[in-house]
Amino acid sequence: MNTPFIYGVAAEQMYFTDRENETKRLLLNFENGLNTIIISPRRWGKTSLVNRVFELMKDHQQIHIVRMDAFSVRTQEDFYRLFATEIIKQTATRTEELLENAKRFLSSLVPVVTMSADPMNPVSFSLKSVNREYGEDVLTLPERIAKEKGIHLIICIDEFQQIGELSDSVTFQKKLRSVWQHQHAVSYCLYGSKRHLLMNMFGKRSYPFYKFGDMLFLERIPIEYWYEYIQSRFIQAGKHIDAPFVDDIYTYVDGNSSYVQQLSWLVWARTDKEVNAEILSEAKQDLLHQNHALFMEQINSLTSYQLHFIRAIMAGKASEINRKEIIEEFELGSSANIATIKKALQKKELIEIEGKNISFSDPIFIHWLRQNTYLFS
Ligand SMILES: Nc1ncnc2c1ncn2[C@@H]1O[C@H](COP(=O)(O)OP(=O)(O)OP(=O)(O)O)[C@@H](O)[C@H]1O
Ligand SMILES: [Mg+2]
């Protein structure tokens, strides 16, 4: 029997729910050659959504989607290498074509093409390193391939915020944009989390990627979809979960797609026939327990000021954090100091800031903090 719930990997097929409007919008953008930027908090379903659209367009004659993940890109050279390798690999239909294209389209980079004799993956292609001077060749690669094949290419780059973290990033972004905006047979879908970084890159007038494309802010999957998704899985196993328990799961994890699946699984696994309050409570404890080591590590890396700040947020003081009384009560130093603390916590991906609203990036973190307040006193 298939596992009823999944988390930690992209959701597909029977594990994929909703995203109907977003799927339509992406399909439309892809068919019309519009660039798209997708932003959402961690684990809400960006990768799953793009993979879904990839599956739907797999057999399209004129449009071909290339996906890559910039997660481990640390330098501009890393990016060029990833970009070139994935485009060559994913646009070739046969091994011979792959080799031929590598030679032809990346002639300036030869002899850095290597073949591997891995029995599981008999022919694989990689580029050792791609010097910056070849950057132009690499960036124009998709347009050259698309034109020759008479197709339109969509290049999807996951974890694109990594580009904003490279050294001399703005100059690099300028270069990417200046080449990409002249391409007619290629469009881009750029997505990732770290909202503040992406908002800087795409939402600020002074940055090269300003107004680069359609901005899609992924919302939570509405609870209506989860009733059907969760309840049917209990029924299939001869179990039952009442709707209010689904509400409880959804609220507890603040609608985070991944945690909805994980907590549902923890409840499902404990249930013989019928979910009750005790089962749900144990499942929540288990979820907190599984995150304990990670959260401890995060807490241990904080300065006293940062801990005080977290205490103030927990006390619901986010909107008045700069008031003199609050600064004194929570020992935050000064207004200037608060700005520094916010930046640091944002960088550590612990908090999200939207205007005056400050929230914890991980919805489980707040529950864990409440249970472990002794760490702050
Ligand atoms: N459409 C969906 N239907 C059901 N579950 C989903 C859906 N999208 C995401 N999930 C759940 O959320 C988890 C994370 O999904 P995914 O990796 O697509 O999110 P992400 O936003 O790309 O995450 P990250 O920020 O880590 O890159 C999945 O493993 C699955 O449990
Ligand atoms: Mg992802």
Side-chain angles (χ1 to χ4, degrees):
M1 198 174 112
N2 288 327
T3 170
F5 300 97
I6 54 136
Y7 49 92
V9 290
E12 52 186 41
Q13 296 178 17
M14 63 173 279
Y15 298 107
F16 188 93
T17 183
D18 182 30
R19 299 299 185 213
E20 291 167 18
N21 293 331
E22 296 88 343
T23 303
K24 274 193 209 138
R25 183 157 151 196
L26 265 191
L27 280 170
L28 197 71
N29 287 359
F30 286 7
E31 279 162 358
N32 290 283
L34 287 182
N35 297 322
T36 310
I37 293 112
I38 311 173
I39 299 180
S40 88
R42 296 295 316 263
R43 308 269 143 79
W44 279 24
K46 298 169 290 291
T47 305
S48 303
L49 171 64
V50 174
N51 288 356
R52 170 76 158 191
V53 174
F54 173 84
E55 282 300 318
L56 292 173
M57 294 190 87
K58 212 166 54 195
D59 299 321
H60 202 290
Q61 297 296 309
Q62 267 81 47
I63 301 174
H64 189 96
I65 300 178
V66 171
R67 290 169 301 171
M68 62 189 78
D69 187 340
F71 182 73
S72 42
V73 167
R74 295 286 176 274
T75 62
Q76 296 180 20
E77 288 77 8
D78 285 349
F79 179 78
Y80 287 138
R81 184 170 60 164
L82 174 81
F83 195 78
T85 310
E86 292 309 318
I87 290 170
I88 291 281
K89 265 191 197 167
Q90 295 180 44
T91 52
T93 41
R94 291 166 295 109
T95 308
E96 304 86 70
E97 192 189 357
L98 188 151
L99 282 176
E100 200 184 295
N101 286 354
K103 272 197 218 137
R104 212 149 48 87
F105 290 108
L106 292 174
S107 56
S108 59
L109 302 180
V110 175
V112 286
V113 178
T114 57
M115 305 295 299
S116 98
D118 172 358
M120 296 302 289
N121 196 5
V123 186
S124 87
F125 157 85
S126 71
L127 290 169
K128 273 191 195 132
S129 69
V130 181
N131 204 300
R132 275 183 212 192
E133 66 190 86
Y134 300 122
E136 191 86 13
D137 269 4
V138 171
L139 295 181
T140 56
L141 177 66
E143 177 87 345
R144 288 184 283 133
I145 294 185
K147 280 198 169 143
E148 187 175 289
K149 285 182 167 255
I151 54 170
H152 190 92
L153 276 180
I154 318 277
I155 312 290
C156 299
I157 310 180
D158 205 345
E159 307 291 357
F160 192 74
Q161 72 278 350
Q162 279 301 125
I163 305 307
E165 306 254 45
L166 302 180
S167 67
D168 207 8
S169 169
V170 176
T171 314
F172 187 53
Q173 289 171 43
K174 236 184 232 161
K175 175 156 191 177
L176 298 183
R177 171 134 198 189
S178 70
V179 179
W180 289 353
Q181 73 186 1
H182 296 299
Q183 300 183 335
H184 300 291
V186 187
S187 41
Y188 293 84
C189 176
L190 311 173
Y191 49 117
S193 29
K194 297 209 187 172
R195 189 192 155 86
H196 67 287
L197 272 177
L198 288 167
M199 283 309 288
N200 263 345
M201 293 170 78
F202 294 103
K204 283 204 174 152
R205 211 176 272 276
S206 54
Y207 280 71
F209 274 105
Y210 181 65
K211 296 216 163 153
F212 181 65
D214 180 33
M215 302 269 277
L216 200 170
F217 293 95
L218 219 55
E219 305 281 337
R220 293 174 179 84
I221 294 174
I223 189 155
E224 287 67 35
Y225 290 91
W226 289 117
Y227 290 132
E228 154 66 19
Y229 186 97
I230 297 171
Q231 289 184 310
S232 67
R233 281 157 162 83
F234 275 76
I235 290 169
Q236 277 158 22
K239 311 183 189 199
H240 182 258
I241 179 166
D242 271 337
F245 289 120
V246 176
D247 293 336
D248 195 334
I249 290 175
Y250 188 81
T251 311
Y252 189 74
V253 303
D254 194 24
N256 173 295
S257 312
S258 183
Y259 279 135
V260 169
Q261 295 243 25
Q262 188 175 3
L263 187 52
S264 299
W265 159 250
L266 293 173
V267 172
W268 187 94
R270 281 178 171 71
T271 304
D272 190 19
K273 285 265 173 280
E274 181 81 35
V275 175
N276 58 41
E278 197 186 338
I279 291 178
L280 183 53
S281 163
E282 278 173 21
K284 287 176 185 170
Q285 280 310 312
D286 194 350
L287 188 60
L288 294 183
H289 183 72
Q290 290 188 29
N291 282 288
H292 184 77
L294 178 84
F295 291 155
M296 273 310 284
E297 204 179 294
Q298 284 174 332
I299 283 288
N300 286 335
S301 77
L302 301 181
T303 64
S304 316
Y305 275 136
Q306 291 167 354
L307 283 170
H308 295 167
F309 184 89
I310 284 184
R311 229 167 22 92
I313 303 302
M314 281 176 71
K317 307 293 183 196
S319 60
E320 39 182 350
I321 197 87
N322 284 307
R323 273 183 45 207
K324 198 163 155 274
E325 303 85 84
I326 303 294
I327 294 180
E328 270 169 23
E329 181 186 344
F330 290 91
E331 301 171 57
L332 296 168
S334 63
S335 275
N337 196 35
I338 290 177
T340 314
I341 300 171
K342 278 188 188 167
K343 260 206 186 117
L345 291 178
Q346 220 176 9
K347 194 154 195 303
K348 285 175 191 269
E349 280 192 82
L350 272 181
I351 59 166
E352 295 280 334
I353 304 175
E354 268 189 277
K356 282 204 152 189
N357 193 15
I358 303 174
S359 58
F360 292 106
S361 311
D362 188 319
I364 297 303
F365 190 52
I366 181 87
H367 297 300
W368 179 86
L369 285 170
R370 287 198 182 114
Q371 249 186 27
N372 295 280
T373 40
Y374 68 91
L375 292 166
F376 299 85
S377 38

Short mmCIF file of all heavy atoms in Angstrom, two decimals, residues 5-19 40-52 69 158-159 161 191-194 218 221 226 229 256-262 349, ligand 1:
data_model
loop_
_atom_site.label_atom_id
_atom_site.label_comp_id
_atom_site.label_asym_id
_atom_site.label_seq_id
_atom_site.Cartn_x
_atom_site.Cartn_y
_atom_site.Cartn_z
N PHE A 5 0.41 9.88 3.23
CA PHE A 5 0.84 11.29 3.23
C PHE A 5 2.32 11.37 2.92
O PHE A 5 3.09 10.49 3.29
CB PHE A 5 0.58 11.92 4.61
CG PHE A 5 -0.87 11.89 5.00
CD1 PHE A 5 -1.35 10.89 5.84
CD2 PHE A 5 -1.75 12.83 4.53
CE1 PHE A 5 -2.70 10.84 6.19
CE2 PHE A 5 -3.09 12.80 4.87
CZ PHE A 5 -3.57 11.80 5.70
N ILE A 6 2.73 12.46 2.27
CA ILE A 6 4.16 12.64 2.04
C ILE A 6 4.59 14.06 2.42
O ILE A 6 3.79 14.99 2.37
CB ILE A 6 4.59 12.42 0.56
CG1 ILE A 6 3.75 13.30 -0.35
CG2 ILE A 6 4.55 10.98 0.16
CD1 ILE A 6 4.58 13.96 -1.40
N TYR A 7 5.83 14.17 2.80
CA TYR A 7 6.39 15.50 3.07
C TYR A 7 7.89 15.37 2.88
O TYR A 7 8.44 14.27 2.92
CB TYR A 7 6.06 15.96 4.50
CG TYR A 7 6.35 14.95 5.57
CD1 TYR A 7 7.58 14.95 6.23
CD2 TYR A 7 5.41 13.99 5.92
CE1 TYR A 7 7.85 14.00 7.20
CE2 TYR A 7 5.68 13.04 6.89
CZ TYR A 7 6.90 13.04 7.53
OH TYR A 7 7.18 12.11 8.48
N GLY A 8 8.54 16.49 2.63
CA GLY A 8 10.00 16.45 2.45
C GLY A 8 10.41 16.26 1.00
O GLY A 8 11.55 16.48 0.65
N VAL A 9 9.49 15.82 0.16
CA VAL A 9 9.79 15.76 -1.28
C VAL A 9 8.63 16.47 -1.99
O VAL A 9 7.57 16.63 -1.42
CB VAL A 9 9.88 14.31 -1.80
CG1 VAL A 9 11.10 13.61 -1.29
CG2 VAL A 9 8.62 13.52 -1.46
N ALA A 10 8.86 16.86 -3.23
CA ALA A 10 7.79 17.55 -3.96
C ALA A 10 6.57 16.64 -4.07
O ALA A 10 6.70 15.43 -4.22
CB ALA A 10 8.28 17.97 -5.33
N ALA A 11 5.38 17.23 -3.97
CA ALA A 11 4.14 16.45 -4.04
C ALA A 11 3.75 16.27 -5.50
O ALA A 11 3.73 17.24 -6.25
CB ALA A 11 3.03 17.18 -3.30
N GLU A 12 3.47 15.03 -5.88
CA GLU A 12 3.00 14.84 -7.24
C GLU A 12 1.87 13.82 -7.29
O GLU A 12 1.58 13.15 -6.31
CB GLU A 12 4.15 14.43 -8.17
CG GLU A 12 4.95 13.27 -7.68
CD GLU A 12 6.16 12.99 -8.56
OE1 GLU A 12 6.81 13.97 -8.99
OE2 GLU A 12 6.42 11.81 -8.82
N GLN A 13 1.24 13.78 -8.44
CA GLN A 13 0.15 12.85 -8.72
C GLN A 13 -0.86 12.74 -7.58
O GLN A 13 -1.49 13.73 -7.23
CB GLN A 13 0.73 11.49 -9.10
CG GLN A 13 1.51 11.63 -10.39
CD GLN A 13 2.18 10.37 -10.84
OE1 GLN A 13 1.86 9.27 -10.41
NE2 GLN A 13 3.12 10.51 -11.73
N MET A 14 -1.01 11.54 -6.98
CA MET A 14 -2.05 11.38 -5.95
C MET A 14 -1.78 12.23 -4.71
O MET A 14 -2.65 12.41 -3.87
CB MET A 14 -2.19 9.92 -5.55
CG MET A 14 -0.94 9.35 -4.92
SD MET A 14 -1.11 7.68 -4.26
CE MET A 14 -1.88 7.96 -2.69
N TYR A 15 -0.59 12.75 -4.57
CA TYR A 15 -0.25 13.55 -3.39
C TYR A 15 -0.41 15.05 -3.63
O TYR A 15 -0.13 15.85 -2.76
CB TYR A 15 1.19 13.26 -2.94
CG TYR A 15 1.38 11.82 -2.53
CD1 TYR A 15 2.09 10.94 -3.33
CD2 TYR A 15 0.81 11.35 -1.36
CE1 TYR A 15 2.24 9.61 -2.97
CE2 TYR A 15 0.95 10.02 -0.99
CZ TYR A 15 1.67 9.16 -1.80
OH TYR A 15 1.81 7.85 -1.43
N PHE A 16 -0.83 15.38 -4.82
CA PHE A 16 -0.92 16.79 -5.18
C PHE A 16 -2.38 17.24 -5.12
O PHE A 16 -3.27 16.62 -5.68
CB PHE A 16 -0.38 16.98 -6.60
CG PHE A 16 -0.25 18.41 -7.01
CD1 PHE A 16 0.95 19.09 -6.84
CD2 PHE A 16 -1.31 19.10 -7.59
CE1 PHE A 16 1.09 20.42 -7.22
CE2 PHE A 16 -1.19 20.42 -7.97
CZ PHE A 16 0.01 21.08 -7.79
N THR A 17 -2.64 18.32 -4.43
CA THR A 17 -4.01 18.82 -4.37
C THR A 17 -4.05 20.31 -4.70
O THR A 17 -3.05 21.02 -4.55
CB THR A 17 -4.64 18.54 -2.98
OG1 THR A 17 -5.99 18.98 -2.99
CG2 THR A 17 -3.91 19.27 -1.85
N ASP A 18 -5.22 20.76 -5.13
CA ASP A 18 -5.46 22.18 -5.43
C ASP A 18 -4.43 22.77 -6.40
O ASP A 18 -4.04 22.12 -7.34
CB ASP A 18 -5.49 22.98 -4.12
CG ASP A 18 -5.78 24.46 -4.37
OD1 ASP A 18 -6.50 24.77 -5.35
OD2 ASP A 18 -5.31 25.31 -3.60
N ARG A 19 -4.08 24.04 -6.14
CA ARG A 19 -3.20 24.82 -7.03
C ARG A 19 -3.80 24.92 -8.42
O ARG A 19 -3.07 24.97 -9.42
CB ARG A 19 -1.78 24.19 -7.12
CG ARG A 19 -1.05 24.13 -5.79
CD ARG A 19 -0.84 25.49 -5.21
NE ARG A 19 -0.05 25.49 -3.99
CZ ARG A 19 -0.24 26.35 -3.01
NH1 ARG A 19 -1.18 27.28 -3.09
NH2 ARG A 19 0.53 26.32 -1.95
N SER A 40 7.05 32.22 -2.17
CA SER A 40 6.21 31.80 -1.05
C SER A 40 7.11 31.44 0.11
O SER A 40 8.31 31.23 -0.08
CB SER A 40 5.36 30.58 -1.43
OG SER A 40 6.06 29.38 -1.17
N PRO A 41 6.54 31.38 1.33
CA PRO A 41 7.37 30.90 2.43
C PRO A 41 7.83 29.45 2.18
O PRO A 41 7.31 28.79 1.29
CB PRO A 41 6.41 30.94 3.63
CG PRO A 41 5.36 31.92 3.24
CD PRO A 41 5.21 31.78 1.76
N ARG A 42 8.75 29.00 3.01
CA ARG A 42 9.27 27.64 2.86
C ARG A 42 8.14 26.61 2.92
O ARG A 42 7.20 26.75 3.69
CB ARG A 42 10.24 27.29 4.03
CG ARG A 42 11.51 28.09 4.15
CD ARG A 42 12.49 27.94 3.03
NE ARG A 42 12.74 26.61 2.52
CZ ARG A 42 13.75 25.85 2.89
NH1 ARG A 42 14.59 26.23 3.81
NH2 ARG A 42 13.93 24.68 2.32
N ARG A 43 8.30 25.60 2.11
CA ARG A 43 7.45 24.41 2.15
C ARG A 43 5.97 24.64 1.94
O ARG A 43 5.14 23.97 2.54
CB ARG A 43 7.63 23.68 3.51
CG ARG A 43 9.03 23.38 3.90
CD ARG A 43 9.49 22.03 3.41
NE ARG A 43 10.87 22.04 3.00
CZ ARG A 43 11.92 21.99 3.82
NH1 ARG A 43 11.73 21.92 5.10
NH2 ARG A 43 13.13 22.00 3.34
N TRP A 44 5.64 25.59 1.10
CA TRP A 44 4.22 25.76 0.78
C TRP A 44 3.86 25.08 -0.54
O TRP A 44 2.69 24.89 -0.84
CB TRP A 44 3.85 27.26 0.71
CG TRP A 44 3.61 27.88 2.05
CD1 TRP A 44 4.11 27.45 3.25
CD2 TRP A 44 2.80 29.02 2.33
NE1 TRP A 44 3.67 28.27 4.26
CE2 TRP A 44 2.87 29.25 3.73
CE3 TRP A 44 2.05 29.88 1.55
CZ2 TRP A 44 2.20 30.30 4.35
CZ3 TRP A 44 1.38 30.94 2.18
CH2 TRP A 44 1.46 31.13 3.56
N GLY A 45 4.90 24.82 -1.36
CA GLY A 45 4.58 24.06 -2.58
C GLY A 45 5.01 24.66 -3.90
O GLY A 45 4.40 24.39 -4.93
N LYS A 46 6.10 25.44 -3.90
CA LYS A 46 6.57 26.04 -5.16
C LYS A 46 7.08 24.96 -6.12
O LYS A 46 6.67 24.90 -7.28
CB LYS A 46 7.72 27.03 -4.90
CG LYS A 46 7.34 28.20 -4.04
CD LYS A 46 8.56 29.00 -3.61
CE LYS A 46 9.43 28.25 -2.63
NZ LYS A 46 8.87 28.04 -1.30
N THR A 47 8.00 24.14 -5.61
CA THR A 47 8.61 23.11 -6.46
C THR A 47 7.53 22.16 -6.98
O THR A 47 7.52 21.81 -8.17
CB THR A 47 9.69 22.35 -5.67
OG1 THR A 47 10.62 23.31 -5.16
CG2 THR A 47 10.43 21.36 -6.54
N SER A 48 6.62 21.78 -6.10
CA SER A 48 5.54 20.86 -6.52
C SER A 48 4.73 21.47 -7.64
O SER A 48 4.36 20.79 -8.60
CB SER A 48 4.62 20.55 -5.34
OG SER A 48 5.34 20.01 -4.26
N LEU A 49 4.44 22.75 -7.53
CA LEU A 49 3.63 23.43 -8.55
C LEU A 49 4.34 23.45 -9.91
O LEU A 49 3.76 23.10 -10.94
CB LEU A 49 3.32 24.87 -8.09
CG LEU A 49 2.66 25.77 -9.12
CD1 LEU A 49 1.28 25.27 -9.50
CD2 LEU A 49 2.57 27.21 -8.59
N VAL A 50 5.60 23.82 -9.90
CA VAL A 50 6.33 23.89 -11.17
C VAL A 50 6.47 22.48 -11.77
O VAL A 50 6.29 22.28 -12.97
CB VAL A 50 7.72 24.56 -10.98
CG1 VAL A 50 8.53 24.49 -12.27
CG2 VAL A 50 7.54 26.01 -10.56
N ASN A 51 6.72 21.49 -10.91
CA ASN A 51 6.81 20.11 -11.40
C ASN A 51 5.49 19.65 -12.03
O ASN A 51 5.48 18.93 -13.02
CB ASN A 51 7.17 19.15 -10.27
CG ASN A 51 8.62 19.31 -9.84
OD1 ASN A 51 9.37 20.09 -10.44
ND2 ASN A 51 9.02 18.60 -8.80
N ARG A 52 4.41 20.09 -11.42
CA ARG A 52 3.08 19.75 -11.92
C ARG A 52 2.91 20.28 -13.35
O ARG A 52 2.48 19.56 -14.25
CB ARG A 52 2.04 20.37 -10.99
CG ARG A 52 0.63 20.33 -11.47
CD ARG A 52 0.10 18.95 -11.31
NE ARG A 52 -1.34 18.92 -11.26
CZ ARG A 52 -2.02 17.85 -10.92
NH1 ARG A 52 -1.35 16.77 -10.55
NH2 ARG A 52 -3.32 17.84 -10.92
N ASP A 69 18.08 23.53 -10.16
CA ASP A 69 17.97 23.95 -8.77
C ASP A 69 19.27 24.66 -8.37
O ASP A 69 20.34 24.05 -8.38
CB ASP A 69 17.74 22.70 -7.91
CG ASP A 69 17.46 23.06 -6.47
OD1 ASP A 69 17.79 24.20 -6.05
OD2 ASP A 69 16.91 22.22 -5.75
N ASP A 158 14.93 26.98 -9.64
CA ASP A 158 14.47 26.86 -8.25
C ASP A 158 15.53 27.46 -7.32
O ASP A 158 16.71 27.50 -7.67
CB ASP A 158 14.28 25.37 -7.94
CG ASP A 158 13.27 25.13 -6.82
OD1 ASP A 158 12.92 26.09 -6.10
OD2 ASP A 158 12.82 23.97 -6.67
N GLU A 159 15.11 27.91 -6.16
CA GLU A 159 16.01 28.51 -5.15
C GLU A 159 16.82 29.66 -5.76
O GLU A 159 18.01 29.81 -5.51
CB GLU A 159 16.95 27.44 -4.55
CG GLU A 159 16.25 26.19 -4.01
CD GLU A 159 15.42 26.43 -2.74
OE1 GLU A 159 15.43 27.56 -2.22
OE2 GLU A 159 14.75 25.48 -2.30
N GLN A 161 16.92 32.64 -5.10
CA GLN A 161 17.47 33.63 -4.15
C GLN A 161 18.97 33.46 -3.95
O GLN A 161 19.66 34.39 -3.57
CB GLN A 161 16.75 33.58 -2.80
CG GLN A 161 17.04 32.39 -1.93
CD GLN A 161 16.22 31.16 -2.30
OE1 GLN A 161 15.30 31.25 -3.10
NE2 GLN A 161 16.54 30.01 -1.73
N TYR A 191 12.06 31.02 -9.03
CA TYR A 191 11.28 30.87 -7.81
C TYR A 191 12.15 30.47 -6.63
O TYR A 191 13.28 30.00 -6.79
CB TYR A 191 10.14 29.88 -8.00
CG TYR A 191 10.49 28.55 -8.64
CD1 TYR A 191 10.34 27.36 -7.94
CD2 TYR A 191 10.96 28.49 -9.94
CE1 TYR A 191 10.65 26.14 -8.53
CE2 TYR A 191 11.27 27.28 -10.53
CZ TYR A 191 11.11 26.11 -9.83
OH TYR A 191 11.43 24.92 -10.41
N GLY A 192 11.61 30.69 -5.45
CA GLY A 192 12.36 30.35 -4.25
C GLY A 192 11.67 30.88 -3.02
O GLY A 192 10.60 31.49 -3.09
N SER A 193 12.31 30.66 -1.86
CA SER A 193 11.76 31.22 -0.63
C SER A 193 12.65 32.41 -0.25
O SER A 193 13.17 33.06 -1.13
CB SER A 193 11.67 30.16 0.47
OG SER A 193 12.63 29.18 0.30
N LYS A 194 12.88 32.64 1.03
CA LYS A 194 13.60 33.84 1.46
C LYS A 194 12.99 35.07 0.80
O LYS A 194 13.60 35.73 -0.05
CB LYS A 194 15.09 33.73 1.12
CG LYS A 194 15.78 32.60 1.83
CD LYS A 194 17.23 32.91 2.07
CE LYS A 194 17.94 31.69 2.62
NZ LYS A 194 19.38 31.82 2.71
N LEU A 218 2.47 32.63 -3.91
CA LEU A 218 1.70 31.44 -3.59
C LEU A 218 1.00 31.61 -2.24
O LEU A 218 1.61 32.06 -1.28
CB LEU A 218 2.68 30.26 -3.50
CG LEU A 218 2.23 28.93 -4.05
CD1 LEU A 218 1.80 29.06 -5.50
CD2 LEU A 218 3.36 27.92 -3.95
N ILE A 221 -2.73 26.49 0.66
CA ILE A 221 -3.79 25.68 0.06
C ILE A 221 -5.00 25.80 0.98
O ILE A 221 -4.88 25.56 2.19
CB ILE A 221 -3.33 24.19 -0.04
CG1 ILE A 221 -2.17 24.06 -1.03
CG2 ILE A 221 -4.51 23.30 -0.45
CD1 ILE A 221 -1.55 22.68 -1.10
N TRP A 226 -8.07 20.25 1.89
CA TRP A 226 -7.47 19.31 2.85
C TRP A 226 -8.52 18.38 3.46
O TRP A 226 -8.22 17.25 3.81
CB TRP A 226 -6.70 20.06 3.94
CG TRP A 226 -5.42 20.69 3.46
CD1 TRP A 226 -5.11 22.01 3.44
CD2 TRP A 226 -4.25 20.02 2.94
NE1 TRP A 226 -3.85 22.22 2.95
CE2 TRP A 226 -3.30 21.02 2.63
CE3 TRP A 226 -3.92 18.68 2.70
CZ2 TRP A 226 -2.04 20.73 2.11
CZ3 TRP A 226 -2.66 18.39 2.17
CH2 TRP A 226 -1.74 19.39 1.88
N TYR A 229 -8.76 15.66 1.00
CA TYR A 229 -7.47 14.96 0.91
C TYR A 229 -7.23 14.08 2.14
O TYR A 229 -6.88 12.90 2.03
CB TYR A 229 -6.36 16.01 0.80
CG TYR A 229 -4.97 15.47 0.56
CD1 TYR A 229 -4.44 15.43 -0.73
CD2 TYR A 229 -4.17 15.04 1.61
CE1 TYR A 229 -3.15 14.96 -0.95
CE2 TYR A 229 -2.89 14.56 1.40
CZ TYR A 229 -2.38 14.53 0.11
OH TYR A 229 -1.11 14.05 -0.10
N ASN A 256 0.63 25.47 6.62
CA ASN A 256 1.86 25.11 5.90
C ASN A 256 1.68 23.71 5.26
O ASN A 256 1.46 22.73 5.97
CB ASN A 256 3.02 25.13 6.90
CG ASN A 256 4.32 24.62 6.33
OD1 ASN A 256 4.43 23.46 5.97
ND2 ASN A 256 5.32 25.49 6.24
N SER A 257 1.78 23.64 3.93
CA SER A 257 1.43 22.39 3.23
C SER A 257 2.20 21.18 3.76
O SER A 257 1.63 20.11 3.95
CB SER A 257 1.73 22.52 1.74
OG SER A 257 1.21 23.70 1.22
N SER A 258 3.47 21.37 3.96
CA SER A 258 4.30 20.25 4.36
C SER A 258 3.92 19.75 5.76
O SER A 258 3.79 18.55 6.00
CB SER A 258 5.77 20.69 4.34
OG SER A 258 6.59 19.62 4.66
N TYR A 259 3.72 20.70 6.68
CA TYR A 259 3.35 20.30 8.04
C TYR A 259 1.94 19.72 8.10
O TYR A 259 1.65 18.88 8.95
CB TYR A 259 3.46 21.48 9.00
CG TYR A 259 4.87 21.76 9.51
CD1 TYR A 259 5.37 23.06 9.55
CD2 TYR A 259 5.68 20.74 9.99
CE1 TYR A 259 6.64 23.34 10.03
CE2 TYR A 259 6.95 21.00 10.48
CZ TYR A 259 7.43 22.30 10.50
OH TYR A 259 8.68 22.57 10.98
N VAL A 260 1.04 20.19 7.22
CA VAL A 260 -0.30 19.59 7.20
C VAL A 260 -0.15 18.09 6.91
O VAL A 260 -0.73 17.25 7.58
CB VAL A 260 -1.22 20.25 6.13
CG1 VAL A 260 -2.50 19.44 5.96
CG2 VAL A 260 -1.56 21.68 6.50
N GLN A 261 0.68 17.79 5.92
CA GLN A 261 0.87 16.38 5.55
C GLN A 261 1.58 15.62 6.67
O GLN A 261 1.22 14.48 6.99
CB GLN A 261 1.71 16.29 4.27
CG GLN A 261 1.03 16.87 3.06
CD GLN A 261 0.77 15.82 1.97
OE1 GLN A 261 0.67 14.63 2.24
NE2 GLN A 261 0.64 16.28 0.75
N GLN A 262 2.56 16.23 7.27
CA GLN A 262 3.33 15.53 8.30
C GLN A 262 2.47 15.26 9.54
O GLN A 262 2.47 14.14 10.07
CB GLN A 262 4.58 16.34 8.68
CG GLN A 262 5.50 15.56 9.59
CD GLN A 262 6.81 16.29 9.90
OE1 GLN A 262 7.01 17.43 9.46
NE2 GLN A 262 7.69 15.64 10.62
N GLU A 349 16.70 33.21 8.76
CA GLU A 349 15.41 32.63 8.35
C GLU A 349 14.52 32.26 9.52
O GLU A 349 13.74 31.32 9.45
CB GLU A 349 15.62 31.39 7.49
CG GLU A 349 15.94 31.70 6.06
CD GLU A 349 15.86 30.46 5.18
OE1 GLU A 349 14.75 30.11 4.78
OE2 GLU A 349 16.91 29.85 4.95
N1 LIG B 1 -0.13 20.92 -4.07
C1 LIG B 1 0.18 20.21 -2.98
N2 LIG B 1 -0.65 19.23 -2.54
C2 LIG B 1 -0.36 18.53 -1.43
N3 LIG B 1 0.74 18.71 -0.69
C3 LIG B 1 1.60 19.65 -1.07
C4 LIG B 1 1.38 20.45 -2.24
N4 LIG B 1 2.40 21.30 -2.37
C5 LIG B 1 3.24 21.05 -1.36
N5 LIG B 1 2.79 20.07 -0.57
C6 LIG B 1 3.43 19.55 0.66
O1 LIG B 1 4.46 20.45 1.01
C7 LIG B 1 5.75 19.81 0.91
C8 LIG B 1 6.75 20.78 0.34
O2 LIG B 1 6.45 21.01 -1.02
P1 LIG B 1 7.49 21.70 -1.99
O3 LIG B 1 8.82 21.08 -1.84
O4 LIG B 1 6.86 21.76 -3.33
O5 LIG B 1 7.50 23.17 -1.36
P2 LIG B 1 8.52 24.36 -1.63
O6 LIG B 1 7.74 25.61 -1.45
O7 LIG B 1 9.21 24.17 -2.93
O8 LIG B 1 9.55 24.14 -0.42
P3 LIG B 1 11.00 24.81 -0.21
O9 LIG B 1 10.72 26.19 0.29
O10 LIG B 1 11.64 23.94 0.81
O11 LIG B 1 11.69 24.81 -1.53
C9 LIG B 1 5.51 18.56 0.09
O12 LIG B 1 6.41 17.54 0.48
C10 LIG B 1 4.08 18.20 0.47
O13 LIG B 1 4.08 17.53 1.71
#
